Amino acid sequence: MLKWFKKFGKKNEKEVQEEKIIENKEELTENQIEKLIEDEVEEQIVELEKEDQVEEVQEKVEETQEELDNLETELMEEELETEETEEVEKEVEELSLNKGIEKNEGALVEETKIEEERTKKKPNFFEKLMGGLTKTRNDISNKIDGILKSYKKIDEELFDDLEEVLVTADVGVNTTMKLIDRLRDRVKEEKVSEPEKVKELLKDEIKKLMLESVSDNELKVEPSPALILVVGVNGVGKTTTIGKLSNNFKNQGKKILIAAGDTFRAAAIEQLEEWGNRAGVEVISHIEGADPAAVIYDGIHAAKARKTDILICDTAGRLHNKSNLMNELNKIFRIVEREYGDATKEVLLVLDATTGQNAINQAKVFKEVANITGVALTKLDGTAKGGVVIALQAELGLPVKLVGVGEGINDLQPFNPDDFIDAIIQ
């Protein structure tokens, strides 16, 4: 049994060994298989890794290519943009140039418009005179036209009708008779038979008569210094005339000073100061009721100290007593001669055109008490009695130097006889 056991046991041992060998073989085989499998897996992994690397490389290449493509696209776009920018810059430059031209043209157009507006807003003297003398023109020119059209021949009745028209226009009786006599002689001399031609002859005779009586209508303010003494009754427009005259001279670049010598009329000084402010001119004044000659004295010394080009002096407008007026003006004249003897002098009489023949009477009085060198005729735009201008020059020999044809500060203008006649008789 033991032997058997041993034998069996040996056998079993052998078998066990064989089994072990087989197992080893199997194990080896399994190891080999595992090894093979591992190798294969590694190879596959390597392959996969290679494939992944390739893919990565490919991806990188693709990405790089894409970047290159994008870069190339950007470069192309930049080139296009550069070209477009250059084109745009050229267009902008051209547009700017054109815009500049258009702007310049626009500026010229705008300046032209402004100038046209300025011209519209600021008509010349003749246009203002035409507008201001509408009432006088209607009263004289239209009536003359009506008379001449109603006659088929020139006779004495026609002259009588013309005479009536001139007298009612405040040309004055003496001046009218002189004009009609000269017109009658002219018609005979030139053998005029058509009534329509009489109007031109009448205009010509009026001009001649005015120029024969007064050779110069210019206001004398040269050489400087100059002094303008303004006289006239209350209410004729002395204060506004001084203000407008100051503004005119100031616009010509002259240095102006005003002396408020009308110390008797209530609020006269305040009104003159207001006009001085509007014109940008200083006013020398005293208290109300002060001696007018004292104000003129201070004005002269202020003008000397400030080297003023023109001193404009207002005076009291009292006319109820000729003796008092004469005394007052004579005192002022003595001071002017003593303190400002070297100045260019004008004595300017201000008259209201709307008063007609009353203005002629005032002029006669002032001419007796003062050496009147010229007349400023105000409110000519508000009257049909503009014929008074003709009487002032032809009958009294007083040159009309200034006319007011509106209420504005620029509406006081130098007088031109030719323009005046052309404006009232058309």
Side-chain angles (χ1 to χ4, degrees):
M1 177 109 180
L2 183 60
K3 289 181 180 181
W4 179 85
F5 179 77
K6 287 181 179 180
K7 187 178 179 181
F8 178 76
K10 286 180 181 180
K11 186 177 178 180
N12 286 341
E13 184 178 353
K14 186 178 180 181
E15 288 177 354
V16 170
Q17 287 178 353
E18 287 178 358
E19 287 177 359
K20 283 183 179 181
I21 290 170
I22 290 169
E23 286 178 0
N24 289 334
K25 284 181 180 180
E26 288 176 356
E27 287 177 3
L28 181 62
T29 303
E30 287 177 359
N31 289 334
Q32 287 177 348
I33 290 169
E34 288 178 0
K35 178 67 173 169
L36 289 173
I37 290 170
E38 287 177 359
D39 290 341
E40 287 179 2
V41 168
E42 285 179 0
E43 288 178 2
Q44 287 178 0
I45 289 170
V46 170
E47 288 296 328
L48 288 172
E49 288 177 350
K50 285 182 180 180
E51 286 178 3
D52 290 340
Q53 288 177 356
V54 170
E55 286 178 0
E56 287 178 3
V57 170
Q58 284 178 348
E59 287 178 0
K60 286 182 180 180
V61 169
E62 288 176 359
E63 289 176 0
T64 305
Q65 185 63 41
E66 187 176 353
E67 289 177 0
L68 288 172
D69 291 341
N70 292 336
L71 184 59
E72 186 177 356
T73 302
E74 288 177 3
L75 289 172
M76 289 177 67
E77 288 177 353
E78 286 179 2
E79 288 178 0
L80 288 172
E81 286 178 0
T82 302
E83 291 177 358
E84 289 177 358
T85 302
E86 290 176 355
E87 291 178 1
V88 169
E89 286 176 353
K90 287 181 181 179
E91 289 178 1
V92 169
E93 189 176 351
E94 290 177 359
L95 286 171
S96 299
L97 183 61
N98 293 334
K99 191 70 177 177
I101 294 171
E102 289 175 3
K103 188 176 181 181
N104 290 335
E105 289 176 351
L108 289 172
V109 171
E110 189 64 25
E111 286 177 6
T112 304
K113 288 181 179 178
I114 291 171
E115 188 60 33
E116 287 175 355
E117 288 297 320
R118 188 180 293 117
T119 304
K120 290 178 182 177
K121 291 178 182 177
K122 295 184 178 180
N124 60 34
F125 168 70
F126 186 72
E127 289 173 342
K128 283 187 176 182
L129 197 62
M130 284 290 292
L133 289 171
T134 300
K135 291 182 179 180
T136 299
R137 183 168 57 253
N138 291 339
D139 194 59
I140 295 179
S141 188
N142 292 352
K143 287 181 179 179
I144 289 174
D145 286 339
I147 290 169
L148 296 178
K149 288 178 181 178
S150 66
Y151 284 88
K152 294 183 179 180
K153 63 177 182 177
I154 300 173
D155 56 21
E156 198 60 33
E157 290 185 5
L158 184 147
F159 291 120
D160 290 342
D161 288 343
L162 291 177
E163 184 177 305
E164 184 180 348
V165 170
L166 295 176
V167 170
T168 55
D170 279 286
V171 174
V173 175
N174 295 333
T175 304
T176 298
M177 291 176 66
K178 188 181 291 187
L179 280 171
I180 294 300
D181 288 343
R182 293 175 65 159
L183 179 63
R184 189 184 288 110
D185 294 339
R186 183 88 176 267
V187 168
K188 289 179 181 179
E189 288 173 6
E190 298 182 14
K191 297 179 181 179
V192 178
S193 59
E194 298 175 5
E196 291 81 4
K197 294 182 179 180
V198 172
K199 184 164 69 172
E200 289 302 319
L201 295 178
L202 179 60
K203 284 177 62 175
D204 191 45
E205 287 303 319
I206 293 174
K207 288 180 182 180
K208 284 181 179 180
L209 188 59
M210 290 182 70
L211 293 175
E212 285 172 7
S213 304
V214 175
S215 59
D216 190 3
N217 292 85
E218 184 180 358
L219 189 66
K220 301 294 189 300
V221 291
E222 296 292 346
S224 62
L227 181 142
I228 301 174
L229 189 66
V230 182
V231 299
V233 301
N234 291 334
V236 295
K238 280 194 298 99
T239 304
T240 56
T241 297
I242 291 170
K244 293 175 181 180
L245 188 58
S246 300
N247 180 70
N248 288 352
F249 285 136
K250 186 76 180 293
N251 290 339
Q252 295 172 19
K254 296 185 181 298
K255 192 171 182 181
I256 311 300
L257 189 65
I258 299 173
D262 188 354
T263 59
F264 294 100
R265 183 171 64 88
I269 297 171
E270 289 78 2
Q271 288 177 6
L272 194 58
E273 287 176 342
E274 177 60 29
W275 273 101
N277 291 333
R278 290 179 64 182
V281 175
E282 186 180 355
V283 178
I284 303 296
S285 63
H286 286 192
I287 62 172
E288 187 176 323
D291 184 3
V295 180
I296 305 303
Y297 178 88
D298 287 350
I300 289 172
H301 282 271
K304 286 181 178 180
R306 296 164 198 181
K307 297 181 179 180
T308 301
D309 293 316
I310 303 171
L311 172 64
I312 303 176
C313 302
D314 190 12
T315 63
R318 295 176 297 173
L319 194 59
H320 62 279
N321 189 307
K322 189 188 297 185
S323 178
N324 287 344
L325 175 66
M326 184 179 295
N327 291 335
E328 184 176 308
L329 290 177
N330 283 338
K331 186 177 179 181
I332 291 172
F333 291 147
R334 286 196 302 272
I335 289 174
V336 168
E337 288 301 323
R338 187 182 71 223
E339 303 295 332
Y340 222 26
D342 59 340
T344 303
K345 301 174 187 67
E346 282 271 9
V347 181
L348 192 64
L349 173 62
V350 180
L351 297 172
D352 183 347
T354 62
T355 61
Q357 283 301 305
N358 192 31
I360 299 294
N361 295 331
Q362 291 174 23
K364 288 178 180 178
V365 173
F366 275 97
K367 190 178 180 183
E368 291 175 5
V369 300
N371 182 25
I372 305 298
T373 60
V375 173
L377 198 62
T378 64
K379 308 175 188 178
L380 197 60
D381 57 314
T383 181
K385 300 177 179 181
V388 68
V389 176
I390 302 170
L392 285 169
Q393 290 210 171
E395 188 173 334
L396 300 181
L398 291 176
V400 178
K401 297 192 173 184
L402 298 166
V403 290
V405 290
E407 296 180 359
I409 196 168
N410 295 311
D411 290 334
L412 184 72
Q413 301 293 329
F415 177 73
N416 182 296
D418 290 334
D419 288 344
F420 174 76
I421 301 304
D422 288 339
I424 65 172
I425 302 177
Q426 291 187 318

